[in-house]
Amino acid sequence: MEKTTLGRTGLSVTVAGLGCGGFSRIGLSKGIDHAAGVVRAAYDAGLTFFDTAALYETQPAVGKGLSGLPRDSYTLSTKFTYGEGERIISAEKMTESLERSLKELGVEYVDVFHIHGLMAQDYAQARDTFVPAMHKAKQQGKIRFLGVTERFAEDTTHEMLKLALPEDLFDVIMVGYNLLNQSAAQYVLPAALEKNLGVLCMFAVRRALWNREQLMKDIARILAAGQGGSGLDADSLDFLIAESIAKSLPEAAYRFCRHTPGITVTLTGTSNHDHLAENLESLKLPQLPASALERLHSLFDGVDCVSGQ
């Protein structure tokens, strides 16, 4: 798997990373040993970037899967749940969450520690509450870099990141981006490139990009919002397969995200080894042809009302 640099962190990472949340949660429903096996299989296949969170409950499985490996041979990203509105937690609670994460992961430090799913209306309070505490943890050697992730399913127009990017307090951001909603390429990625941020791409493949019924619903929502290009309909993505551009829609979706300028690591989630191998093969393939990209951009230009969830 090709490697790159995670922005100004200077960390060498693979262009694909294992996302340990989402619907699959690395197969945790089948037991911690199975989930840990998926993590180790990803490492053995060449991945060096692993993203988890306290909310996912997969940290013990990630720790088990990476146990015994040289700590400098992989990059570990995790997150804490901040609460929201009147329930925003204290800096002390954040520190307690970090300590639990370190214990569950079986490590002395995490490479990137994120505020998880931050909403725009909570940004100012979260910034003032947590950033000083995150810097303190960094000084103590418990985290290396600060990160923040958006809640893309609810914040499809990236309102939180529009607030965060100008202040430049975070070294790494996680953004939602896919074939259906390419708005991050307008609102987020140019600024991230300018500031040399590490950018983690989530939602590359969500339900609408492997379930046709959900895809039809999302396209209907796009049309109802008056968005999308001329001729957009439920069959608009069929050309990718019919013209042998990709073997599957998920393959095309991963290739689309992985090669987008400004994205550092494209995350993939899975619950089993075979699906993992299939996803990784897609992420090793070259960018889609220029003609296909032009068509995809024209179809979904201006779309920011769906996430593909």
Side-chain angles (χ1 to χ4, degrees), residues 149-186:
T149 78
E150 66 180 2
R151 198 178 308 175
F152 186 51
E154 299 175 39
D155 184 10
T156 58
T157 57
H158 317 286
E159 298 307 309
M160 185 279 294
L161 287 174
K162 290 175 185 176
L163 295 175
L165 284 166
E167 296 192 341
D168 201 15
L169 299 174
F170 302 96
D171 306 298
V172 180
I173 62 171
M174 185 180 293
V175 62
Y177 176 76
N178 56 40
L179 286 176
L180 304 179
N181 184 339
Q182 305 169 21
S183 62
Q186 175 184 353

mmCIF file of all heavy atoms in Angstrom, residues 149-186:
data_model
loop_
_atom_site.group_PDB
_atom_site.id
_atom_site.type_symbol
_atom_site.label_atom_id
_atom_site.label_comp_id
_atom_site.label_asym_id
_atom_site.label_seq_id
_atom_site.Cartn_x
_atom_site.Cartn_y
_atom_site.Cartn_z
ATOM 1 N N THR A 149 -13.187 15.862 14.252
ATOM 2 C CA THR A 149 -13.976 15.215 13.204
ATOM 3 C C THR A 149 -15.356 15.861 13.149
ATOM 4 O O THR A 149 -15.905 16.271 14.173
ATOM 5 C CB THR A 149 -14.128 13.701 13.440
ATOM 6 O OG1 THR A 149 -15.126 13.449 14.451
ATOM 7 C CG2 THR A 149 -12.810 13.084 13.900
ATOM 8 N N GLU A 150 -15.897 15.943 11.939
ATOM 9 C CA GLU A 150 -17.238 16.492 11.792
ATOM 10 C C GLU A 150 -18.276 15.378 11.896
ATOM 11 O O GLU A 150 -17.957 14.189 11.808
ATOM 12 C CB GLU A 150 -17.375 17.218 10.455
ATOM 13 C CG GLU A 150 -17.275 16.329 9.232
ATOM 14 C CD GLU A 150 -17.426 17.113 7.923
ATOM 15 O OE1 GLU A 150 -17.563 18.353 7.966
ATOM 16 O OE2 GLU A 150 -17.410 16.473 6.862
ATOM 17 N N ARG A 151 -19.536 15.765 12.089
ATOM 18 C CA ARG A 151 -20.643 14.798 12.124
ATOM 19 C C ARG A 151 -21.361 14.892 10.784
ATOM 20 O O ARG A 151 -22.407 15.515 10.650
ATOM 21 C CB ARG A 151 -21.579 15.113 13.295
ATOM 22 C CG ARG A 151 -22.478 13.943 13.676
ATOM 23 C CD ARG A 151 -23.348 14.258 14.866
ATOM 24 N NE ARG A 151 -22.595 14.761 16.001
ATOM 25 C CZ ARG A 151 -23.147 15.206 17.133
ATOM 26 N NH1 ARG A 151 -24.457 15.189 17.264
ATOM 27 N NH2 ARG A 151 -22.389 15.653 18.121
ATOM 28 N N PHE A 152 -20.777 14.228 9.792
ATOM 29 C CA PHE A 152 -21.171 14.456 8.402
ATOM 30 C C PHE A 152 -22.614 14.080 8.113
ATOM 31 O O PHE A 152 -23.272 14.725 7.284
ATOM 32 C CB PHE A 152 -20.226 13.689 7.487
ATOM 33 C CG PHE A 152 -20.422 13.953 6.018
ATOM 34 C CD1 PHE A 152 -20.456 15.249 5.524
ATOM 35 C CD2 PHE A 152 -20.547 12.907 5.118
ATOM 36 C CE1 PHE A 152 -20.625 15.501 4.166
ATOM 37 C CE2 PHE A 152 -20.717 13.139 3.766
ATOM 38 C CZ PHE A 152 -20.760 14.442 3.290
ATOM 39 N N ALA A 153 -23.134 13.055 8.770
ATOM 40 C CA ALA A 153 -24.514 12.645 8.502
ATOM 41 C C ALA A 153 -25.495 13.771 8.812
ATOM 42 O O ALA A 153 -26.564 13.864 8.212
ATOM 43 C CB ALA A 153 -24.862 11.399 9.314
ATOM 44 N N GLU A 154 -25.131 14.637 9.756
ATOM 45 C CA GLU A 154 -25.979 15.764 10.131
ATOM 46 C C GLU A 154 -25.452 17.093 9.600
ATOM 47 O O GLU A 154 -26.214 18.038 9.405
ATOM 48 C CB GLU A 154 -26.097 15.837 11.656
ATOM 49 C CG GLU A 154 -26.724 14.604 12.282
ATOM 50 C CD GLU A 154 -26.703 14.662 13.798
ATOM 51 O OE1 GLU A 154 -26.923 15.747 14.362
ATOM 52 O OE2 GLU A 154 -26.461 13.618 14.433
ATOM 53 N N ASP A 155 -24.154 17.178 9.391
ATOM 54 C CA ASP A 155 -23.507 18.413 8.949
ATOM 55 C C ASP A 155 -22.959 18.209 7.539
ATOM 56 O O ASP A 155 -21.754 18.209 7.304
ATOM 57 C CB ASP A 155 -22.386 18.771 9.935
ATOM 58 C CG ASP A 155 -21.705 20.103 9.619
ATOM 59 O OD1 ASP A 155 -22.212 20.845 8.763
ATOM 60 O OD2 ASP A 155 -20.649 20.381 10.220
ATOM 61 N N THR A 156 -23.874 18.054 6.592
ATOM 62 C CA THR A 156 -23.456 17.719 5.219
ATOM 63 C C THR A 156 -22.855 18.901 4.483
ATOM 64 O O THR A 156 -22.310 18.735 3.384
ATOM 65 C CB THR A 156 -24.644 17.171 4.406
ATOM 66 O OG1 THR A 156 -25.694 18.150 4.380
ATOM 67 C CG2 THR A 156 -25.176 15.878 5.015
ATOM 68 N N THR A 157 -22.937 20.107 5.067
ATOM 69 C CA THR A 157 -22.356 21.293 4.434
ATOM 70 C C THR A 157 -21.088 21.761 5.155
ATOM 71 O O THR A 157 -20.588 22.849 4.873
ATOM 72 C CB THR A 157 -23.378 22.441 4.384
ATOM 73 O OG1 THR A 157 -23.830 22.710 5.724
ATOM 74 C CG2 THR A 157 -24.570 22.072 3.525
ATOM 75 N N HIS A 158 -20.601 20.963 6.105
ATOM 76 C CA HIS A 158 -19.307 21.206 6.769
ATOM 77 C C HIS A 158 -19.259 22.512 7.557
ATOM 78 O O HIS A 158 -18.234 23.197 7.596
ATOM 79 C CB HIS A 158 -18.170 21.196 5.731
ATOM 80 C CG HIS A 158 -18.261 20.096 4.727
ATOM 81 N ND1 HIS A 158 -17.967 18.785 5.012
ATOM 82 C CD2 HIS A 158 -18.641 20.113 3.414
ATOM 83 C CE1 HIS A 158 -18.150 18.043 3.938
ATOM 84 N NE2 HIS A 158 -18.568 18.817 2.963
ATOM 85 N N GLU A 159 -20.370 22.831 8.224
ATOM 86 C CA GLU A 159 -20.419 24.102 8.957
ATOM 87 C C GLU A 159 -19.381 24.167 10.078
ATOM 88 O O GLU A 159 -18.790 25.225 10.330
ATOM 89 C CB GLU A 159 -21.830 24.342 9.502
ATOM 90 C CG GLU A 159 -22.898 24.460 8.433
ATOM 91 C CD GLU A 159 -22.558 25.489 7.368
ATOM 92 O OE1 GLU A 159 -22.219 26.636 7.731
ATOM 93 O OE2 GLU A 159 -22.607 25.145 6.165
ATOM 94 N N MET A 160 -19.156 23.047 10.781
ATOM 95 C CA MET A 160 -18.171 23.058 11.859
ATOM 96 C C MET A 160 -16.775 23.310 11.318
ATOM 97 O O MET A 160 -16.019 24.141 11.852
ATOM 98 C CB MET A 160 -18.210 21.733 12.636
ATOM 99 C CG MET A 160 -17.297 21.693 13.852
ATOM 100 S SD MET A 160 -15.543 21.322 13.509
ATOM 101 C CE MET A 160 -15.659 19.624 12.925
ATOM 102 N N LEU A 161 -16.409 22.623 10.252
ATOM 103 C CA LEU A 161 -15.069 22.796 9.717
ATOM 104 C C LEU A 161 -14.874 24.189 9.113
ATOM 105 O O LEU A 161 -13.761 24.719 9.103
ATOM 106 C CB LEU A 161 -14.765 21.709 8.683
ATOM 107 C CG LEU A 161 -14.513 20.320 9.285
ATOM 108 C CD1 LEU A 161 -14.356 19.275 8.184
ATOM 109 C CD2 LEU A 161 -13.283 20.326 10.191
ATOM 110 N N LYS A 162 -15.934 24.796 8.642
ATOM 111 C CA LYS A 162 -15.827 26.172 8.156
ATOM 112 C C LYS A 162 -15.426 27.116 9.286
ATOM 113 O O LYS A 162 -14.773 28.143 9.054
ATOM 114 C CB LYS A 162 -17.149 26.620 7.531
ATOM 115 C CG LYS A 162 -17.483 25.941 6.214
ATOM 116 C CD LYS A 162 -18.873 26.358 5.753
ATOM 117 C CE LYS A 162 -19.307 25.604 4.500
ATOM 118 N NZ LYS A 162 -20.701 25.930 4.103
ATOM 119 N N LEU A 163 -15.811 26.776 10.512
ATOM 120 C CA LEU A 163 -15.407 27.569 11.677
ATOM 121 C C LEU A 163 -13.994 27.214 12.124
ATOM 122 O O LEU A 163 -13.205 28.089 12.492
ATOM 123 C CB LEU A 163 -16.380 27.325 12.835
ATOM 124 C CG LEU A 163 -17.831 27.771 12.657
ATOM 125 C CD1 LEU A 163 -18.660 27.338 13.853
ATOM 126 C CD2 LEU A 163 -17.908 29.282 12.475
ATOM 127 N N ALA A 164 -13.691 25.920 12.089
ATOM 128 C CA ALA A 164 -12.415 25.444 12.644
ATOM 129 C C ALA A 164 -11.217 25.777 11.755
ATOM 130 O O ALA A 164 -10.147 26.125 12.263
ATOM 131 C CB ALA A 164 -12.490 23.943 12.884
ATOM 132 N N LEU A 165 -11.375 25.667 10.472
ATOM 133 C CA LEU A 165 -10.229 25.810 9.570
ATOM 134 C C LEU A 165 -9.532 27.174 9.673
ATOM 135 O O LEU A 165 -8.303 27.229 9.742
ATOM 136 C CB LEU A 165 -10.653 25.515 8.130
ATOM 137 C CG LEU A 165 -10.843 24.028 7.810
ATOM 138 C CD1 LEU A 165 -11.576 23.856 6.491
ATOM 139 C CD2 LEU A 165 -9.507 23.308 7.774
ATOM 140 N N PRO A 166 -10.261 28.286 9.709
ATOM 141 C CA PRO A 166 -9.563 29.575 9.807
ATOM 142 C C PRO A 166 -8.749 29.728 11.097
ATOM 143 O O PRO A 166 -7.729 30.430 11.109
ATOM 144 C CB PRO A 166 -10.705 30.597 9.750
ATOM 145 C CG PRO A 166 -11.822 29.893 9.072
ATOM 146 C CD PRO A 166 -11.708 28.470 9.539
ATOM 147 N N GLU A 167 -9.185 29.064 12.174
ATOM 148 C CA GLU A 167 -8.473 29.196 13.446
ATOM 149 C C GLU A 167 -7.228 28.314 13.515
ATOM 150 O O GLU A 167 -6.335 28.576 14.322
ATOM 151 C CB GLU A 167 -9.422 28.868 14.605
ATOM 152 C CG GLU A 167 -10.570 29.847 14.707
ATOM 153 C CD GLU A 167 -11.355 29.714 15.996
ATOM 154 O OE1 GLU A 167 -11.263 28.668 16.665
ATOM 155 O OE2 GLU A 167 -12.068 30.662 16.343
ATOM 156 N N ASP A 168 -7.206 27.260 12.714
ATOM 157 C CA ASP A 168 -6.001 26.439 12.549
ATOM 158 C C ASP A 168 -5.468 25.888 13.873
ATOM 159 O O ASP A 168 -4.265 25.938 14.143
ATOM 160 C CB ASP A 168 -4.918 27.256 11.846
ATOM 161 C CG ASP A 168 -3.863 26.384 11.177
ATOM 162 O OD1 ASP A 168 -4.111 25.185 11.007
ATOM 163 O OD2 ASP A 168 -2.781 26.916 10.847
ATOM 164 N N LEU A 169 -6.358 25.312 14.681
ATOM 165 C CA LEU A 169 -5.961 24.770 15.979
ATOM 166 C C LEU A 169 -5.675 23.274 15.935
ATOM 167 O O LEU A 169 -5.118 22.731 16.888
ATOM 168 C CB LEU A 169 -7.074 25.031 17.011
ATOM 169 C CG LEU A 169 -7.414 26.497 17.273
ATOM 170 C CD1 LEU A 169 -8.625 26.594 18.187
ATOM 171 C CD2 LEU A 169 -6.222 27.218 17.872
ATOM 172 N N PHE A 170 -6.071 22.624 14.839
ATOM 173 C CA PHE A 170 -5.975 21.173 14.745
ATOM 174 C C PHE A 170 -5.023 20.772 13.630
ATOM 175 O O PHE A 170 -5.005 21.381 12.564
ATOM 176 C CB PHE A 170 -7.363 20.565 14.519
ATOM 177 C CG PHE A 170 -8.344 20.925 15.603
ATOM 178 C CD1 PHE A 170 -9.219 21.993 15.435
ATOM 179 C CD2 PHE A 170 -8.367 20.229 16.794
ATOM 180 C CE1 PHE A 170 -10.106 22.352 16.437
ATOM 181 C CE2 PHE A 170 -9.256 20.573 17.804
ATOM 182 C CZ PHE A 170 -10.131 21.635 17.632
ATOM 183 N N ASP A 171 -4.244 19.725 13.887
ATOM 184 C CA ASP A 171 -3.280 19.233 12.908
ATOM 185 C C ASP A 171 -3.907 18.282 11.907
ATOM 186 O O ASP A 171 -3.419 18.132 10.792
ATOM 187 C CB ASP A 171 -2.135 18.507 13.622
ATOM 188 C CG ASP A 171 -1.494 19.363 14.702
ATOM 189 O OD1 ASP A 171 -0.956 20.425 14.357
ATOM 190 O OD2 ASP A 171 -1.552 18.975 15.883
ATOM 191 N N VAL A 172 -4.973 17.606 12.349
ATOM 192 C CA VAL A 172 -5.641 16.591 11.526
ATOM 193 C C VAL A 172 -7.144 16.816 11.607
ATOM 194 O O VAL A 172 -7.674 17.104 12.680
ATOM 195 C CB VAL A 172 -5.293 15.167 12.021
ATOM 196 C CG1 VAL A 172 -5.990 14.105 11.156
ATOM 197 C CG2 VAL A 172 -3.784 14.944 12.020
ATOM 198 N N ILE A 173 -7.822 16.668 10.484
ATOM 199 C CA ILE A 173 -9.283 16.757 10.467
ATOM 200 C C ILE A 173 -9.845 15.516 9.771
ATOM 201 O O ILE A 173 -9.173 14.897 8.955
ATOM 202 C CB ILE A 173 -9.791 18.020 9.750
ATOM 203 C CG1 ILE A 173 -9.354 18.031 8.277
ATOM 204 C CG2 ILE A 173 -9.309 19.273 10.468
ATOM 205 C CD1 ILE A 173 -9.995 19.145 7.446
ATOM 206 N N MET A 174 -11.062 15.180 10.129
ATOM 207 C CA MET A 174 -11.762 14.100 9.437
ATOM 208 C C MET A 174 -12.999 14.695 8.785
ATOM 209 O O MET A 174 -13.807 15.347 9.444
ATOM 210 C CB MET A 174 -12.161 12.967 10.388
ATOM 211 C CG MET A 174 -12.780 11.768 9.674
ATOM 212 S SD MET A 174 -13.259 10.422 10.803
ATOM 213 C CE MET A 174 -11.648 9.880 11.365
ATOM 214 N N VAL A 175 -13.127 14.461 7.476
ATOM 215 C CA VAL A 175 -14.187 15.089 6.701
ATOM 216 C C VAL A 175 -14.968 14.033 5.929
ATOM 217 O O VAL A 175 -14.407 13.034 5.470
ATOM 218 C CB VAL A 175 -13.593 16.146 5.739
ATOM 219 C CG1 VAL A 175 -12.643 15.498 4.741
ATOM 220 C CG2 VAL A 175 -14.680 16.922 5.014
ATOM 221 N N GLY A 176 -16.258 14.265 5.773
ATOM 222 C CA GLY A 176 -17.087 13.405 4.942
ATOM 223 C C GLY A 176 -17.006 13.822 3.493
ATOM 224 O O GLY A 176 -17.123 15.015 3.174
ATOM 225 N N TYR A 177 -16.792 12.852 2.619
ATOM 226 C CA TYR A 177 -16.621 13.157 1.195
ATOM 227 C C TYR A 177 -16.883 11.893 0.408
ATOM 228 O O TYR A 177 -16.403 10.806 0.778
ATOM 229 C CB TYR A 177 -15.188 13.647 0.948
ATOM 230 C CG TYR A 177 -14.831 13.921 -0.499
ATOM 231 C CD1 TYR A 177 -15.288 15.071 -1.137
ATOM 232 C CD2 TYR A 177 -14.018 13.044 -1.215
ATOM 233 C CE1 TYR A 177 -14.949 15.335 -2.458
ATOM 234 C CE2 TYR A 177 -13.675 13.313 -2.536
ATOM 235 C CZ TYR A 177 -14.135 14.460 -3.156
ATOM 236 O OH TYR A 177 -13.805 14.722 -4.459
ATOM 237 N N ASN A 178 -17.657 12.000 -0.668
ATOM 238 C CA ASN A 178 -17.894 10.833 -1.524
ATOM 239 C C ASN A 178 -18.447 11.268 -2.876
ATOM 240 O O ASN A 178 -18.576 12.468 -3.149
ATOM 241 C CB ASN A 178 -18.819 9.814 -0.827
ATOM 242 C CG ASN A 178 -20.147 10.401 -0.399
ATOM 243 O OD1 ASN A 178 -20.758 11.191 -1.103
ATOM 244 N ND2 ASN A 178 -20.603 10.012 0.794
ATOM 245 N N LEU A 179 -18.763 10.289 -3.696
ATOM 246 C CA LEU A 179 -19.294 10.568 -5.036
ATOM 247 C C LEU A 179 -20.531 11.459 -5.009
ATOM 248 O O LEU A 179 -20.699 12.328 -5.865
ATOM 249 C CB LEU A 179 -19.674 9.252 -5.724
ATOM 250 C CG LEU A 179 -18.575 8.331 -6.253
ATOM 251 C CD1 LEU A 179 -19.204 7.059 -6.786
ATOM 252 C CD2 LEU A 179 -17.783 9.024 -7.337
ATOM 253 N N LEU A 180 -21.398 11.236 -4.019
ATOM 254 C CA LEU A 180 -22.686 11.920 -3.987
ATOM 255 C C LEU A 180 -22.589 13.337 -3.451
ATOM 256 O O LEU A 180 -23.335 14.212 -3.879
ATOM 257 C CB LEU A 180 -23.688 11.120 -3.147
ATOM 258 C CG LEU A 180 -23.917 9.664 -3.553
ATOM 259 C CD1 LEU A 180 -24.908 9.011 -2.605
ATOM 260 C CD2 LEU A 180 -24.412 9.579 -4.984
ATOM 261 N N ASN A 181 -21.727 13.548 -2.476
ATOM 262 C CA ASN A 181 -21.545 14.866 -1.873
ATOM 263 C C ASN A 181 -20.066 15.213 -1.934
ATOM 264 O O ASN A 181 -19.270 14.805 -1.093
ATOM 265 C CB ASN A 181 -22.042 14.874 -0.428
ATOM 266 C CG ASN A 181 -21.959 16.253 0.205
ATOM 267 O OD1 ASN A 181 -21.214 17.122 -0.234
ATOM 268 N ND2 ASN A 181 -22.719 16.463 1.278
ATOM 269 N N GLN A 182 -19.710 15.971 -2.940
ATOM 270 C CA GLN A 182 -18.317 16.342 -3.186
ATOM 271 C C GLN A 182 -18.006 17.739 -2.662
ATOM 272 O O GLN A 182 -16.971 18.328 -2.986
ATOM 273 C CB GLN A 182 -18.051 16.281 -4.700
ATOM 274 C CG GLN A 182 -18.387 14.942 -5.327
ATOM 275 C CD GLN A 182 -18.380 14.974 -6.846
ATOM 276 O OE1 GLN A 182 -17.768 15.846 -7.467
ATOM 277 N NE2 GLN A 182 -19.082 14.026 -7.470
ATOM 278 N N SER A 183 -18.866 18.267 -1.811
ATOM 279 C CA SER A 183 -18.755 19.666 -1.403
ATOM 280 C C SER A 183 -17.492 19.969 -0.607
ATOM 281 O O SER A 183 -17.042 21.115 -0.571
ATOM 282 C CB SER A 183 -19.986 20.090 -0.597
ATOM 283 O OG SER A 183 -20.111 19.323 0.598
ATOM 284 N N ALA A 184 -16.897 18.971 0.022
ATOM 285 C CA ALA A 184 -15.656 19.214 0.762
ATOM 286 C C ALA A 184 -14.555 19.719 -0.161
ATOM 287 O O ALA A 184 -13.661 20.457 0.274
ATOM 288 C CB ALA A 184 -15.201 17.942 1.470
ATOM 289 N N ALA A 185 -14.614 19.338 -1.428
ATOM 290 C CA ALA A 185 -13.602 19.801 -2.387
ATOM 291 C C ALA A 185 -13.692 21.314 -2.585
ATOM 292 O O ALA A 185 -12.713 21.951 -2.990
ATOM 293 C CB ALA A 185 -13.779 19.089 -3.721
ATOM 294 N N GLN A 186 -14.841 21.892 -2.267
ATOM 295 C CA GLN A 186 -15.012 23.340 -2.366
ATOM 296 C C GLN A 186 -14.818 24.022 -1.018
ATOM 297 O O GLN A 186 -14.102 25.028 -0.913
ATOM 298 C CB GLN A 186 -16.415 23.656 -2.891
ATOM 299 C CG GLN A 186 -16.741 25.141 -2.923
ATOM 300 C CD GLN A 186 -18.170 25.413 -3.368
ATOM 301 O OE1 GLN A 186 -18.894 24.502 -3.782
ATOM 302 N NE2 GLN A 186 -18.587 26.667 -3.276
#
